Amino acid sequence: MTDYTISHPSPGAAVIAVTGTLNVVSARGFREAIGDAVDRAPGQRVVVDLAGVPTIDSSGLGALIGGLKAARAAGGDLRIAAANQQVITVLELTNLNRVLQPYPSVADGLGDAAGGPVAAESATAAGSAR
Amino acid sequence: MSADRATRHTGLIHPVSPTDGDVRALVRTGAERADADEAARLQALHALQLLDTEPEERFDRITRLAQKLFDVPIARVDLIDATRQFVKSSQGLPVEHSARQDSFCDVTIRSEGALVVPDAGRDHRFRDNPFVSAHPNVRFYAGTPLHADGGHRVGALCIVDTRARTFDEAQTELLNDLGRWVEQEFVAREEHRRTLAMQTVLQPAGLPVLPGFAFAATSMAVTGVSGDLWDWRARSGSVNLMIADAMGHGAAAAIMATNLRASMRTMMNLVEAGAVHWDRSDSAVPGGSTPARQVDGAFAKVLTVAAGTVAEYLDRSDMFITLFATRINPDGTMLSVDAGHGLTVIVRADGGCEHLVTTELPIGINPDLVWTPREHVLHPGDAMIMFTDGLLDLFDGTLASLPELERIVRSADHPQDWIDAITRRVQTRGAVPDDITVVAVRRDR
């Protein structure tokens, strides 16, 4: 069972903490959780805390990308934080780390500069990383 | 249509004068209508393709549940054929098909609603039935009719006891519910088979033919219906080849993959027909302006236009597709576009092995994406393998397993041998971990 906890650490920001696998079974519920967060406060920054996600598959990725599009369409943004190596590898396989850059921690994801994404150069180095 | 059938058919629709006798001929008698209904019923039953098949777990779990739920020794799914009762699932009795005339379930299907026989020994309809007077000495029977597509009652889910019992309305409702579950299995299976058949129709017919090159390909799916696709088009002496993987698997992914296939095919056909021209201000393709280069240049546009066509659907469904498409010319030159797929390997005859990496995004991420074509050359003896990520799951699941793939390629000369080696690996594993598609090509000379 995959669970989502939504918190609001600061005005204009939401954190969705996910616990469990993001796959074809849980993708829809996860996507709805992002949609709820975006609808509740359009324009805010949504950080998805992936610390509790052991694995993700392409359906999970699709939900993340769909959430990213929804957040941006509402004038906000979506970031992912604390992803493990498996999740980062899946992102890199499809070069999706170029649009969904992983931040090392939720705090980094919430911040504006704070060192930037885990692999700022990963967009250009995606090939060699594989 | 045979001449005989044609004649009879003509006879049926021949205009008749409305005399008393003819009018009577036009009105079907009750017996004739019953015959027609029975023919339609049998057709619906046969269309299920369950007759003369082995027991299946999906039905057995329902009869097991019925057996426990109602605390009866016997629970079955019986299908009523023209003259026999075919037992699709049986608990408590060996699977023995029997004559229709002795079947309780045949009585059940003659009307809507469940048939409950509290004590067959005291019921004139069944008192002399061989299953009552001898083994297994049926006393209690309850059966709910099973409907096929179109509403025909093709069989029954039944429970049987060797002692007389009462069966109340709530229990009858429960039995009916289990019957609806069996019917869902009928439909799901039928739907799946039709989907599979349609996907088979949409598979490429045969392998590409290009003098001096050998091709082989395979496609395996988790659910039988694949979210992967590969396709090829060959004209003007070159082969356009593509492989793609729609996110997820099963019918949803297959529908989206089919969408992309149609768009790509349309574009490739337009390119080959010369209907898409290369505007040389497109800096995409280096090289001269020979007709061949112009086709190359137009090919580079194929993905961008096709992707634009499906982008709207991908957007609405939170899906994306990775794709690798390449145009292989007879001289071994290739022009390729790669949308986040990145699973193409060239195994060189001189010992090298190149993984064609991409830094470009999948289709469906951003509607304005443009993909940049890249050039490669296949020299004599070189091999190229294009695949979907399910193949990696046959090894360690990561790109670290690419050397395994290289070993397979170097172990034999013909692409079909490589595909066979991969298929054997899947068979050893026993199940397909993810949709797998592999397309292999070798330049012989």
Side-chain angles (χ1 to χ4, degrees):
Chain A
M1 184 65 198
T2 303
D3 278 322
Y4 323 97
T5 315
I6 302 182
S7 59
H8 297 272
S10 61
V15 174
I16 304 176
V18 188
T19 316
T21 301
L22 286 178
N23 59 14
V24 67
V25 177
S26 58
R28 182 193 289 248
F30 174 53
R31 176 67 182 80
E32 282 169 3
I34 299 175
D36 286 348
V38 170
D39 289 346
R40 213 169 297 144
Q44 70 178 340
R45 175 171 297 166
V46 178
V47 177
V48 180
D49 181 359
L50 295 173
V53 176
T55 59
I56 191 169
D57 74 359
S58 61
S59 300
L61 272 188
L64 275 175
I65 296 295
L68 173 70
K69 286 179 184 170
R72 292 205 175 148
D77 197 11
L78 180 137
R79 294 175 172 184
I80 57 172
N84 71 16
Q85 193 52 50
Q86 190 273 342
V87 174
I88 289 178
T89 302
V90 169
L91 276 173
E92 286 175 350
L93 260 172
T94 45
N95 296 325
L96 287 173
N97 53 342
R98 281 179 55 192
V99 290
L100 206 60
Q101 297 177 344
Y103 286 76
S105 71
V106 171
D108 293 322
L110 286 168
D112 273 320
V118 171
E121 72 282 71
S122 62
T124 50
S128 56
R130 304 183 56 180
Chain B
M1 183 184 286
S2 71
D4 179 45
R5 265 186 72 192
T7 311
R8 272 192 280 132
H9 186 69
T10 311
L12 273 178
I13 59 166
H14 195 74
V16 290
S17 329
T19 64
D20 283 354
D22 286 331
V23 167
R24 184 166 151 58
L26 287 173
V27 177
R28 293 196 304 178
T29 65
E32 281 168 348
R33 193 177 304 115
D35 284 351
D37 288 350
E38 173 64 4
R41 193 193 70 82
L42 288 172
Q43 193 173 32
L45 169 64
H46 293 184
L48 292 176
Q49 297 187 19
L50 288 171
L51 293 175
D52 301 309
T53 60
E54 293 294 308
E56 291 177 61
E57 173 56 24
R58 62 201 181 101
F59 295 115
D60 289 346
R61 68 168 66 100
I62 302 173
T63 47
R64 270 201 311 271
L65 187 61
Q67 187 187 28
K68 294 274 182 293
L69 207 54
F70 298 111
D71 189 27
V72 289
I74 298 162
R76 316 213 307 187
V77 169
D78 293 330
L79 302 175
I80 306 300
D81 200 1
T83 58
R84 62 172 176 157
Q85 167 170 282
F86 176 82
V87 184
K88 181 56 190 171
S89 174
S90 181
Q91 308 298 331
L93 271 185
V95 173
E96 278 169 6
H97 315 299
S98 53
R100 179 175 180 175
Q101 64 196 36
D102 301 328
S103 162
F104 278 65
C105 290
D106 184 37
V107 179
T108 302
I109 69 163
R110 285 169 195 275
S111 56
E112 267 313 322
L115 169 70
V116 178
V117 182
D119 186 348
R122 293 171 182 275
D123 190 316
H124 70 275
R125 293 171 297 177
F126 301 106
R127 213 164 32 209
D128 303 324
N129 186 293
F131 295 117
V132 176
S133 54
H135 179 80
N137 299 110
V138 174
R139 293 294 295 280
F140 165 77
Y141 169 96
T144 184
L146 300 171
H147 304 80
D149 236 2
H152 296 287
R153 296 185 291 270
V154 293
L157 167 68
C158 68
I159 52 174
V160 168
D161 205 341
T162 49
R163 59 187 176 88
R165 293 175 64 137
T166 54
F167 204 60
D168 65 25
E169 206 163 304
Q171 288 172 306
T172 307
E173 270 310 301
L174 205 51
L175 183 66
N176 287 338
D177 282 348
L178 288 180
R180 300 299 83 76
W181 181 7
V182 175
E183 288 167 358
Q184 269 184 9
E185 291 298 331
F186 290 169
V187 175
R189 150 117 168 202
E190 184 60 16
E191 191 60 36
H192 186 62
R193 201 173 45 234
R194 285 191 201 131
T195 310
L196 269 184
M198 185 51 70
Q199 191 167 52
T200 306
V201 169
L202 292 174
Q203 288 292 315
L207 291 164
V209 177
L210 185 62
F213 292 79
F215 294 85
T218 188
S219 206
M220 292 166 270
V222 177
T223 64
V225 182
S226 181
D228 290 355
L229 78 94
W230 79 278
D231 202 8
W232 63 274
R233 305 264 78 195
R235 266 172 68 184
S236 67
S238 301
V239 167
N240 298 331
L241 203 55
M242 63 170 285
I243 185 167
D245 182 354
M247 186 204 91
H249 50 71
I255 288 170
M256 198 55 87
T258 300
N259 224 325
L260 179 68
R261 180 203 300 274
S263 300
M264 288 293 285
R265 269 202 168 209
T266 305
M267 283 305 296
M268 285 183 186
N269 286 341
L270 288 174
V271 166
E272 296 299 341
V276 176
H277 294 287
W278 176 36
D279 176 359
R280 288 184 59 204
S281 64
D282 278 359
S283 56
V285 180
S289 59
T290 62
R293 299 299 297 173
Q294 289 186 16
V295 176
D296 280 356
F299 174 75
K301 286 183 173 176
V302 163
L303 177 58
T304 302
V305 179
T309 310
V310 297
E312 181 191 344
Y313 309 124
L314 289 167
D315 212 41
R316 275 194 242 143
S317 57
D318 286 345
M319 283 180 82
F320 61 85
I321 302 179
T322 64
L323 171 144
F324 177 83
T326 187
R327 177 177 174 79
I328 305 176
N329 297 312
D331 64 358
T333 57
M334 299 188 332
L335 193 72
S336 312
V337 279
D338 193 327
H341 195 74
L343 297 173
T344 302
V345 174
I346 295 180
V347 178
R348 298 289 184 193
D350 65 10
C353 182
E354 295 162 25
H355 174 206
L356 307 189
V357 295
T358 173
T359 57
E360 300 198 83
L361 289 171
I363 304 164
I365 304 304
N366 178 343
D368 306 320
L369 282 181
V370 172
W371 289 269
T372 310
R374 299 189 184 187
E375 295 190 298
H376 301 278
V377 181
L378 285 182
H379 300 290
D382 286 353
M384 181 167 72
I385 294 213
M386 291 148 273
F387 55 97
T388 55
D389 61 355
L391 181 67
L392 297 176
D393 293 338
L394 293 183
F395 305 102
D396 74 349
T398 74
L399 291 167
S401 52
L402 289 185
E404 295 266 6
L405 202 56
E406 182 185 354
R407 257 194 293 284
I408 288 174
V409 170
R410 294 204 187 279
S411 68
D413 273 344
H414 198 280
Q416 189 58 51
D417 296 327
W418 314 333
I419 298 289
D420 290 346
I422 289 162
T423 309
R424 277 196 299 275
R425 245 177 200 273
V426 174
Q427 283 161 352
T428 309
R429 217 188 137 102
V432 184
D434 185 6
D435 295 344
I436 299 175
T437 297
V438 188
V439 182
V441 52
R442 182 177 185 274
R443 185 179 176 197
D444 299 320
R445 54 176 197 271

